[in-house]
C-alpha cells in the first residue's frame, strides 16, 4: 500500500458538480465554495467550462481572480474556441478532453483513430503554444483500446502536455481493473497520471483509491459526490480514507468537511443523504441497544474514526431498539436516576411505541 507522498486531489464541484441534474450555482455560491475548497486544501480546482453559458464564463473569470493556493483549471473540449476562452480569461491550467473509445470516435466525432490523433495533436499544440498548462483527459478511457490509449497518452506527452487523465466516464471500472489500467499507463508514460472516476456502480471512491495505489498522482472528487448521473467520488470519503486507512497525514483540514458539505448542499439545493459517510446525519449515530451499550463503554467498538476528528458529534438514538444500558445512559445525561424496576417499565413503554423513531428528552420526562 505505497502512495507517492505527493498525491493530489482535484475538486470538480464547480465544474462536474454543476452538471448534477437540478443544480445551478450562483457566482457568489461558487466564490464561497472555491474559497472553502482552498481552505480545506485541495490541489486543483476546476472552475468550469466557459463555453457552456455566459454565467459559467463569467464565473470562471471571477474565480480566476481569487487569491487561492490551489491551481485553477478551466475545462474545455479539444477545439480552438474552448482553448481561446481559457487563454482570454487567463486561467493557468486547462483540462482538455476528447473521447477516445470506439463509441466516442464513431458516435461523438465520426472519426478514425488516426483522424482523432490529428485533432488531439493540433488542439494540444495550439493550447501549449498559447502558454497553457494542460491536462489532457482521455474521456471514456476505461472503454478505450489500451494500445490506442497509450498511443494517445504518449503523443500528448510528446506535445508537451503536463498531465494525462484517464476518465472512467460511465463508472464501469472495478478496483482490480483500475489497478491494471493505471499501472500499465504509469509504466508507459513519464508525466503524472490523473484519474476521474464515476460512481455508476457505487465504486468511484474505491476505484479512485486503487488508482492512487497503482501510481496515479491525482484523483478527481466533488463535494457530496456531485456530478453527472451518480456523480464522482466524494471529497470527504476520499480524504478521510486516505488519512485514516492509508496513513496519508496532514494534507487536509478535515475539520472543515461538515461546513464545506453544508455550504455545497445548500447551494445545490439537493437533500443530503442521512447515511453518507463522514458528513451524513447518521454517520456517528448509534441505535441498537447492544451497539449503544458498547459505544458508551468504548466508542471504537462501533466507530472506525472518532467524530471529533472530523468536527462531528456522536448521537445515541432512543427507540424500540434501545436497551437498558442505553436508556440508563440517556437518563443520566438528563440528570435523572431511576431504579432498575423503573428502568424496565420505561423501556417497556418505549418498546410499545414502534412509531416513535427518536425519543426526545422531554418525551422521556413525560413518561417517567
Ligand atoms: C464531461 C465528461 C467528463 C470529462 C472528464 C475530464 C468524463 O462531463 O465532459 O475532462 O476530466 O467523465 O469523462 O466529466
Ligand atoms: Cu465526469
Amino acid at each position: 500500500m505505497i502512495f507517492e507522498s505527493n498525491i493530489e486531489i482535484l475538486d470538480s464541484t464547480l465544474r462536474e458538480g454543476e452538471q448534477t441534474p437540478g443544480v445551478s450555482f450562483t457566482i457568489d455560491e461558487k466564490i464561497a465554495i472555491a474559497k472553502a475548497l482552498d481552505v480545506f486544501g485541495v490541489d486543483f480546482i476546476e472552475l468550469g467550462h466557459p463555453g457552456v453559458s455566459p454565467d459559467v464564463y463569467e464565473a470562471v473569470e471571477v474565480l480566476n481572480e481569487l487569491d487561492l493556493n490551489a491551481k485553477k483549471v478551466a475545462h474545455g473540449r479539444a477545439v480552438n474556441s474552448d482553448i481561446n476562452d481559457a487563454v482570454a480569461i487567463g486561467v493557468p491550467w486547462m483540462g482538455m478532453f476528447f473521447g477516445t473509445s470506439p463509441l466516442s470516435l464513431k458516435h461523438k466525432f465520426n472519426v478514425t483513430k488516426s483522424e482523432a490523433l490529428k485533432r488531439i495533436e493540433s488542439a494540444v499544440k495550439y493550447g501549449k503554444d498559447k502558454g497553457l498548462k494542460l491536462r489532457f483527459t482521455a474521456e471514456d478511457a476505461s472503454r478505450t483500446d489500451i494500445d490506442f490509449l497509450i498511443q494517445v497518452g504518449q503523443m500528448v506527452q510528446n506535445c508537451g502536455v503536463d498531465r494525462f487523465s484517464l476518465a472512467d466516464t460511465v463508472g464501469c471500472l472495478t478496483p482490480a481493473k483500475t489497478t491494471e489500467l493505471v499501472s500499465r499507463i504509469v509504466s508507459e508514460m513519464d508525466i503524472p497520471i490523473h484519474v476521474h472516476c464515476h460512481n455508476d456502480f457505487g465504486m468511484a471512491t474505491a476505484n479512485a483509491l486503487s488508482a492512487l495505489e497503482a501510481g496515479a498522482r491525482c484523483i478527481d472528487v466533488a463535494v457530496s459526490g456531485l456530478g453527472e448521473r451518480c456523480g464522482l467520488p466524494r471529497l470527504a470519503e476520499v480524504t478521510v480514507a486516505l488519512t485514516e486507512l492509508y496513513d496519508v497525514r496532514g494534507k487536509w483540514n478535515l475539520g472543515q468537511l461538515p461546513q464545506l458539505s453544508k455550504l455545497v448542499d445548500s447551494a445545490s439545493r439537493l437533500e443530503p443523504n442521512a447515511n453518507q459517510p463522514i458528513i451524513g446525519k447518521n454517520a456517528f449515530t448509534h441505535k441498537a441497544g447492544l451497539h449503544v451499550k458498547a459505544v458508551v463503554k468504548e466508542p471504537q467498538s462501533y466507530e472506525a474514526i472518532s467524530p471529533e476528528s472530523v468536527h462531528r458529534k456522536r448521537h445515541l438514538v432512543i427507540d424500540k431498539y434501545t436497551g437498558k444500558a442505553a436508556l440508563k445512559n440517556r437518563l443520566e445525561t438528563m440528570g435523572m436516576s431511576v431504579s432498575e424496576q423503573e428502568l424496565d417499565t420505561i423501556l417497556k413503554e418505549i418498546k410499545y411505541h414502534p412509531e416513535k423513531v427518536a425519543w426526545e428528552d422531554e418525551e422521556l420526562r413525560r413518561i417517567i
Side-chain angles (χ1 to χ4, degrees):
M1 200 184 284
I2 303 159
F3 283 109
E4 292 192 42
S5 56
N6 52 356
I7 59 161
E8 293 168 332
I9 300 287
L10 177 145
D11 185 275
S12 191
T13 309
L14 301 176
R15 194 281 292 176
E16 171 109 36
E18 207 184 29
Q19 293 174 218
T20 311
V23 173
S24 174
F25 300 126
T26 66
I27 292 181
D28 284 342
E29 285 165 345
K30 287 185 178 178
I31 293 171
I33 293 169
K35 286 181 175 169
L37 286 168
D38 202 48
V39 170
F40 176 77
V42 300
D43 301 277
F44 292 86
I45 300 179
E46 260 185 351
L47 307 180
H49 179 165
V52 165
S53 66
D55 84 291
V56 173
Y57 190 104
E58 193 192 333
V60 177
E61 281 185 312
V62 172
L63 295 168
N64 190 47
E65 292 301 314
L66 296 178
D67 184 17
L68 304 177
N69 292 313
K71 299 178 187 75
K72 297 161 182 155
V73 190
H75 199 240
R77 296 161 296 172
V79 297
N80 288 3
S81 58
D82 281 4
I83 300 166
N84 289 339
D85 284 346
V87 173
I89 295 170
V91 194
W93 282 79
M94 176 176 177
M96 180 191 288
F97 66 103
F98 190 96
T100 50
S101 65
L103 283 163
S104 295
L105 297 186
K106 182 154 185 248
H107 299 289
K108 280 185 70 174
F109 306 113
N110 193 24
V111 291
T112 62
K113 282 181 179 173
S114 75
E115 285 164 342
L117 282 168
K118 277 198 200 110
R119 267 205 216 185
I120 297 168
E121 182 179 18
S122 106
V124 297
K125 280 186 169 162
Y126 185 73
K128 284 313 292 180
D129 280 349
K130 299 268 177 192
L132 287 169
K133 284 263 189 190
L134 278 186
R135 158 170 119 152
F136 179 83
T137 298
E139 186 187 15
D140 213 8
S142 47
R143 293 190 297 180
T144 298
D145 160 50
I146 184 73
D147 293 327
F148 184 55
L149 191 60
I150 292 168
Q151 204 182 347
V152 171
Q154 292 179 340
M155 188 273 288
V156 297
Q157 174 174 282
N158 291 338
C159 293
V161 157
D162 302 272
R163 305 289 178 104
F164 183 50
S165 181
L166 308 171
D168 181 22
T169 304
V170 298
C172 59
L173 285 177
T174 63
K177 286 180 185 166
T178 307
T179 303
E180 192 186 329
L181 173 65
V182 175
S183 314
R184 179 75 198 277
I185 296 293
V186 166
S187 75
E188 299 280 354
M189 294 191 57
D190 302 318
I191 56 176
I193 301 304
H194 290 209
V195 179
H196 175 96
C197 297
H198 271 267
N199 203 33
D200 297 69
F201 288 94
M203 288 193 275
T205 298
N207 291 340
L209 294 169
S210 293
L212 290 177
E213 282 188 289
R217 169 78 66 86
C218 179
I219 52 174
D220 295 3
V221 302
V223 178
S224 295
L226 294 182
E228 291 275 351
R229 306 181 310 281
C230 320
L232 300 183
R234 293 182 177 121
L235 173 78
E237 285 172 31
V238 163
T239 54
V240 175
L242 283 169
T243 304
E244 298 289 341
L245 307 179
Y246 295 82
D247 223 22
V248 177
R249 300 266 157 194
K251 273 183 81 79
W252 306 288
N253 290 313
L254 300 180
Q256 299 287 320
L257 285 170
Q259 228 171 302
L260 182 53
S261 72
K262 227 178 257 164
L263 179 66
V264 172
D265 286 345
S266 100
S268 71
R269 288 148 192 100
L270 298 174
E271 270 308 308
N273 277 349
N275 62 352
Q276 198 166 308
I278 321 296
I279 52 148
K281 185 167 162 275
N282 295 352
F284 298 98
T285 298
H286 305 278
K287 169 166 151 166
L290 289 174
H291 289 231
V292 175
K293 186 178 178 186
V295 163
V296 167
K297 269 203 200 142
E298 173 48 82
Q300 286 184 52
S301 314
Y302 285 100
E303 285 173 358
I305 62 169
S306 80
E308 293 81 18
S309 67
V310 286
H311 288 204
R312 296 285 318 269
K313 287 202 173 86
R314 179 175 304 114
H315 294 285
L316 307 173
V317 170
I318 302 285
D319 81 344
K320 69 177 182 191
Y321 274 82
T322 295
K324 238 166 147 176
L327 180 60
K328 193 166 171 214
N329 173 266
R330 168 69 82 88
L331 297 181
E332 275 167 14
T333 63
M334 290 163 57
M336 306 188 77
S337 77
V338 294
S339 69
E340 281 296 302
Q341 203 187 345
E342 286 166 328
L343 207 53
D344 284 336
T345 318
I346 302 164
L347 198 57
K348 213 170 184 183
E349 179 71 14
I350 289 169
K351 286 186 182 283
Y352 270 106
H353 286 284
E355 77 288 355
K356 287 192 77 66
V357 290
W359 286 76
E360 302 293 338
D361 288 0
E362 260 327 293
E363 296 165 319
L364 290 171
R365 261 198 199 98
R366 225 172 294 137
I367 60 168
I368 291 164

